[in-house]
Amino acid sequence: MSEWFAAWLPFVTTLMVLILPGAGVGLAAGLRAMSLFSLAPVISLGVISVSAVVAPYAGLDWGPLPVVVGVLATSVILWTWRTLAAGRMGCRRAEVGRLSYMPTIAALGGLAVGGGVLMYRLARIFESPSFVSQTADNVFHLNAVRYIVDTGSASSMDLGATSGGGPAFYPGAWHGLAALIVQLSGSSIPVAVACLNLAIGCVMWPLSMWFLCRTLFGSSVAMNMAFAVLIGSFSAFPYLLIDWGVIYPNYLGIAALPAVFGIGLMLFRNGVAASRQGAVLPLLGLIGLAGITLSHPNTLLTLLVLSVPYLITRLMHRAVRARLRLPWGRPAGLPVLVTIFLTVTFAVAWLVLRPFPYTSFTITWPPYQSTAQAIGEVLSTTHSARQAAWATGGLFVVGLYVAWTHRTYRWMVWCAGVWAFLMVVVTAWQPSLSRAFLTGGWYDDYKRIAAGLVLITLPLSVLGFIGLYRFVARVLGSLLKNTRRVPAVAAMALIAVPTAVITHTGPIRDAAIAANSNYSLRPGSPIMSPDELLLYQKLPALVPEDSVIAGNPWDGSAWAYFVSGRRVLFPHVIPSMNEDKDLIARSFREALSNPQVCAAAKSLDVEYAITSDELIYLPGNSNNTKYPGLERLNEAPGFKEIARVGANRLYKLDGCS
């Protein structure tokens, strides 16, 4: 853990990146107190990710300058909007957009305790800020950060080029943040990534979910106690997404999503959108939407699934139809327009935001259980055939009952039902066109859907905690016949302590152990070992800047790029291929006897190659056997060994004239 203290500068830099831009924009929007603090990270995400897309068109390289320009431009827009709205409503600008959830000891304590538990858990999972997740998707993520630092573009419109092809769309919000931390702190990419992921989990996620829970349930002591206990008590998020994949873009998007959802709830709440305080909500909502969409597009699908039950319920109760007005007081056909707009948006997003066609359902993740087992996993708040989480599951079931018996919260039951249906589809249905239609937006990946399910199971569990607390407090009050404080404190302790103990000695402990197993930098690490790292660190002194290095990406050589900055031919385990690249992969060792290989090498600027006799990643996977031309180069004529570290060698091709 001492290594984490040595990383204090990049971690503080990360906090500044996540909070300061959003705080500046939030002040211009009129946010104050806890509203400003809790919404700052998601506003920062939106402003920074959009600035990254706009910067290349403005001729700006990625760094602090585009962020500062983005913050100033957004602040001016919001300030101007508030000024115009104030003129229309006949009030002072200071009264427009002034949203201020006031801080309380309970709220600050809940955030501190919940965030502290998450910080401890995540720091133990990552183990060291210099360790990296030795998983397939992380090959792309770390190289993408290096690509941004090298090219000066963090635009999501370009980032797909990291795989070795031309510029293509890839959601780049997470990668842009990591590159910004590298630039500002001077840290290595692994340290910047570790600090960013730690801050997302223990700062952005708690603040975002607290804002949603505060919007839903108020700021009672019971709510904040429930929040403190439950925010780190669901294994599907945040722990699963830093284990599986790893899918850091989804991790970032889901961490920010509750705040965006909370803004949406406030926007459609009776009277809020028509009030002075709610005048800036649409703009804040758009900023948040941009941020989560550029984190990962399927986060937008997740938000839509959360929102539809609420919107349908609101429309059925005709509350929006009766009370929603434009800020200057004139009635408008907003209910009809909003309904049409949201319906079209939902349909288009559902059809478009998917990584592959409906007919490609056979390449996705297969089911692993029956329908009954899937329902059982939902009710017990678990996933992936792991052990049931009885404590959070019990509170979730109580929360379902409380929500169903209170009209205000009944939409949450329908929302949980929709997510439960998606979990049944993705974990119990066989691959088919209908399954692809329903869950293809999440790659038919039950782990992504399980993480999204936490966005409703956690608030319902908070509601269950509050309902159970009130019941137990009443029973104890009648038994003890004492002051109200003793039964209240006793009731809270009787629920909070067992929940925390059962959860963190069972499901969360196991989730942390599973996630930690992927973070390493040791001999035998599945992708990159210390020997490989040492060889890659030597590359700047051995390989010219304009040369390209060939290597089987599955043996770790793809990471030579993020470590050294020297270009590699295959920067991803599933790289973009063409005829010349395919020839190098199949026949590079035959360069001396096959003129076509030499021609391909010259065309691609390939003069060097890395080979490793260490264990290849995912042995048995057919993809890692597609590079026979890069094997046994020590026996191939025309190749000269330049450097060696352990079982890893760097060769130079001298045979092509």
Side-chain angles (χ1 to χ4, degrees):
M1 295 295 286
S2 60
E3 293 183 55
W4 283 105
F5 292 105
W8 68 269
L9 178 59
F11 185 69
V12 171
T13 302
T14 303
L15 295 180
M16 293 172 65
V17 167
L18 286 179
I19 293 174
L20 293 184
V25 173
L27 285 171
L31 300 180
R32 298 293 184 270
M34 292 295 288
S35 297
L36 175 66
F37 186 46
S38 56
L39 289 177
V42 72
I43 297 173
S44 293
L45 174 62
V47 172
I48 291 173
S49 58
V50 172
S51 298
V53 173
V54 174
Y57 298 102
L60 298 176
D61 286 339
W62 184 239
L65 180 58
V67 176
V68 172
V69 172
V71 168
L72 291 175
T74 309
S75 298
V76 168
I77 291 170
L78 286 166
W79 186 88
T80 304
W81 175 260
R82 291 176 64 207
T83 301
L84 294 174
R88 291 277 188 163
M89 291 187 258
C91 62
R92 293 181 297 116
R93 184 180 60 252
E95 299 174 24
V96 176
R98 192 174 182 86
L99 300 172
S100 54
Y101 287 153
M102 299 309 297
T104 64
I105 294 176
L108 296 174
L111 282 166
V113 171
V117 170
L118 281 164
M119 176 178 281
Y120 170 78
R121 282 292 186 192
L122 294 172
R124 292 292 298 271
I125 287 172
F126 302 143
E127 194 166 340
S128 166
S130 62
F131 285 6
V132 295
S133 174
Q134 304 257 351
T135 49
D137 286 28
N138 207 30
V139 174
F140 176 88
H141 296 321
L142 298 185
N143 280 346
V145 177
R146 168 62 74 174
Y147 174 86
I148 293 170
V149 173
D150 286 351
T151 65
S153 174
S155 173
S156 296
M157 304 304 166
D158 301 334
L159 199 58
T162 302
S163 294
F169 177 81
Y170 189 91
W174 180 89
H175 310 84
L177 287 170
L180 192 61
I181 295 162
V182 170
Q183 293 169 322
L184 289 172
S185 69
S187 69
S188 68
I189 289 175
V191 170
V193 166
C195 290
L196 174 59
N197 288 333
L198 183 63
I200 290 170
C202 71
V203 177
M204 176 182 276
W205 165 242
L207 287 173
S208 179
M209 181 54 77
W210 182 88
F211 181 82
L212 174 59
C213 290
R214 171 65 178 82
T215 301
L216 286 169
F217 310 125
S219 189
S220 66
V221 174
M223 189 286 286
N224 285 291
M225 175 62 77
F227 173 85
V229 172
L230 294 171
I231 187 63
S233 295
F234 289 81
S235 62
F237 194 84
Y239 312 107
L240 182 58
L241 298 192
I242 56 172
D243 173 6
W244 169 247
V246 287
I247 42 181
Y248 293 148
N250 269 110
Y251 173 63
L252 173 62
I254 290 183
L257 193 151
V260 182
F261 187 36
I263 292 172
L265 292 179
M266 294 183 70
L267 180 62
F268 286 95
R269 180 179 286 173
N270 285 351
V272 173
S275 69
R276 297 167 181 172
Q277 290 75 20
V280 298
L281 285 176
L283 295 183
L284 292 177
L286 288 175
I287 293 171
L289 279 175
I292 64 171
T293 303
L294 292 173
S295 296
H296 202 292
N298 69 28
T299 313
L300 180 58
L301 283 184
T302 302
L303 177 63
L304 290 174
V305 173
L306 284 171
S307 304
V308 165
Y310 176 79
L311 293 173
I312 290 176
T313 302
R314 298 295 294 167
L315 291 171
M316 286 177 62
H317 292 157
R318 305 178 65 86
V320 174
R321 195 184 303 269
R323 299 197 179 187
L324 195 59
R325 298 289 185 271
L326 290 176
W328 45 90
R330 293 200 306 267
L334 282 181
V336 175
L337 294 176
V338 167
T339 302
I340 294 173
F341 173 76
L342 292 176
T343 301
V344 172
T345 300
F346 183 88
V348 171
W350 198 266
L351 294 172
V352 172
L353 296 181
R354 54 187 60 245
F356 35 69
Y358 299 102
T359 53
S360 302
F361 54 79
T362 56
I363 66 173
T364 57
W365 306 106
Y368 64 88
Q369 62 185 352
S370 68
T371 297
Q373 289 170 322
I375 294 172
E377 280 198 341
V378 171
L379 292 176
S380 60
T381 62
T382 189
H383 58 88
S384 311
R386 294 184 178 180
Q387 65 167 307
W390 297 114
T392 52
L395 290 176
F396 172 55
V397 172
V398 174
L400 288 172
Y401 170 77
V402 174
W404 185 256
T405 56
H406 290 74
R407 178 176 168 179
T408 303
Y409 301 121
R410 194 169 295 167
W411 66 270
M412 299 177 71
V413 179
W414 296 115
C415 187
V418 172
W419 276 106
F421 174 67
L422 291 176
M423 282 295 291
V424 168
V425 170
V426 77
T427 64
W429 287 18
Q430 292 300 318
S432 63
L433 192 63
S434 57
R435 181 177 185 255
F437 173 77
L438 291 168
T439 63
W442 295 272
Y443 300 79
D444 292 329
D445 180 359
Y446 55 85
K447 298 190 179 183
R448 297 175 197 253
I449 294 178
L453 181 60
V454 175
L455 296 170
I456 190 64
T457 55
L458 197 156
L460 277 168
S461 297
V462 169
L463 184 61
F465 185 106
I466 296 170
L468 190 59
Y469 155 74
R470 290 174 178 171
F471 172 76
V472 174
R474 284 197 302 269
V475 172
L476 291 178
S478 63
L479 292 175
L480 298 176
K481 295 181 180 179
N482 206 327
T483 62
R484 293 178 57 188
R485 181 169 298 179
V486 173
V489 173
M492 210 167 291
L494 285 172
I495 304 169
V497 173
T499 299
V501 171
I502 293 170
T503 300
H504 285 274
T505 57
I508 300 306
R509 177 198 60 199
D510 294 346
I513 292 171
N516 171 254
S517 66
N518 289 323
Y519 289 84
S520 64
L521 189 59
R522 302 185 180 93
S525 291
I527 296 182
M528 184 172 70
S529 68
D531 282 350
E532 289 173 299
L533 174 63
L534 182 57
L535 176 62
Y536 304 159
Q537 289 172 333
K538 294 181 177 181
L539 293 179
L542 300 171
V543 178
E545 288 187 20
D546 57 351
S547 293
V548 176
I549 305 168
N552 184 341
W554 293 83
D555 69 11
S557 64
W559 269 344
Y561 174 56
F562 100 74
V563 174
S564 68
R566 293 298 182 260
R567 291 183 297 154
V568 298
L569 185 62
F570 305 115
H572 189 22
V573 291
I574 306 179
S576 174
M577 298 293 283
N578 57 31
E579 185 176 346
D580 286 344
K581 290 181 180 181
D582 187 62
L583 186 60
I584 296 292
R586 288 186 290 105
S587 308
F588 193 44
R589 65 190 316 272
E590 302 169 9
L592 227 58
S593 59
N594 187 341
Q596 291 182 325
V597 174
C598 277
K602 288 182 179 180
S603 173
L604 297 169
D605 297 322
V606 177
E607 297 182 74
Y608 295 84
I610 289 175
T611 65
S612 175
D613 292 332
E614 295 183 0
L615 180 67
I616 201 162
Y617 181 59
L618 295 182
N621 187 313
S622 60
N623 288 304
N624 59 34
T625 62
K626 295 180 177 179
Y627 304 86
L630 294 162
E631 297 175 357
R632 304 188 310 280
L633 293 183
N634 59 313
E635 302 172 3
F639 288 88
K640 178 183 178 182
E641 184 179 307
I642 301 298
R644 176 191 300 201
V645 179
N648 308 281
R649 300 173 179 86
L650 173 69
Y651 292 93
K652 187 177 190 300
L653 174 60
D654 282 337
C656 291
S657 58

